[in-house]
Amino acid sequence: MRLEAITWERLTDALAERLTATTPQDGSSWLRVAVDGAPAAAPGDLAGRLAEALRVRGRAVHRAGTFGFLRPASVRLEHGREDPDAFHDEWFDRQALWREVFQPLEPGGSGRVLPDLWDPATDRATRSAYVTLPPGGILLLHGPFLLGHWFPFDLSVHLKLSPAALARRTPEGERWTLPAFARYEAETRPEEAADVVVRADDPRRPAWSGPV
């Protein structure tokens, strides 16, 4: 895949312009966007920039992170605290994401979504209040392992890190997760699945695959 250098500012503006011209593929009243990437690639940062750029353009935005939809510790840690396969398969409550985030944004849906579900610090439900995203609003979901689950994204962005950059930028206490990301690359092939690929090995000098 050929990638060209770009700044984060230009990338954000290009994505925001693309989204303002995009119609939901299934006839829904809301756009659903993935910002997919390992924590070391900081997908939440790009989602935050994009949210601000969209709000400036008059669009309502709901930004949510997958780490707010973890499963209980009894499920996540059943095979130990540092099991990369469990991290890939079991940590994130995808059924809850379907039920609480995507179904309300289906055609004819209420737009009433749950910002988060589970607090890993207390291992209890967050009890957050529902938020209503008005018609024409945009969901920005950020986090790892978003692709390959049939989530109805209208645009997907994958933040790519080389294995060396991923290892270098992952804190030592989290490096046990590296095999999970290698598995994701091998099985899901996010570079092929995503609409837009952004190489973020050097956080100061991103490169992207170009407009969709």
Side-chain angles (χ1 to χ4, degrees), residues 134-203:
I138 300 174
L139 167 71
L140 298 178
L141 182 64
H142 59 87
F145 313 134
L146 289 178
L147 306 179
H149 302 291
W150 301 101
F151 289 143
F153 293 119
D154 298 291
L155 182 72
S156 55
V157 181
H158 173 64
L159 295 177
K160 174 181 173 58
L161 293 177
S162 68
L166 177 62
R168 183 174 65 251
R169 292 169 57 185
T170 298
E172 184 174 353
E174 298 174 13
R175 288 182 182 169
W176 62 269
T177 64
L178 296 179
F181 293 110
R183 179 182 163 193
Y184 182 60
E185 290 286 335
E187 295 181 3
T188 303
R189 299 182 179 273
E191 282 187 75
E192 299 173 14
D195 298 307
V196 177
V197 175
V198 180
R199 186 179 64 211
D201 284 4
D202 184 340

Side-chain angles (χ1 to χ4, degrees), residues 18 20 24 28 42-44 47-48 71 76 78 82 90 102 105 117 122 127 131 135 138 149 165 195 205 211:
R18 172 59 178 158
T20 58
S28 170
R71 301 176 78 187
R76 297 196 318 272
E78 181 180 1
E82 298 185 355
E90 304 293 343
F102 287 102
L105 303 182
L117 179 67
T122 62
R127 302 187 183 278
V131 174
I138 300 174
H149 302 291
D195 298 307
R205 299 180 179 86

Side-chain angles (χ1 to χ4, degrees), residues 9 14 46 49 63 75 87 108 136 168 174 196-197 200 207:
E9 292 77 11
L46 177 56
R49 293 188 188 100
R63 182 163 67 100
V75 177
F87 180 59
R168 183 174 65 251
E174 298 174 13
V196 177
V197 175

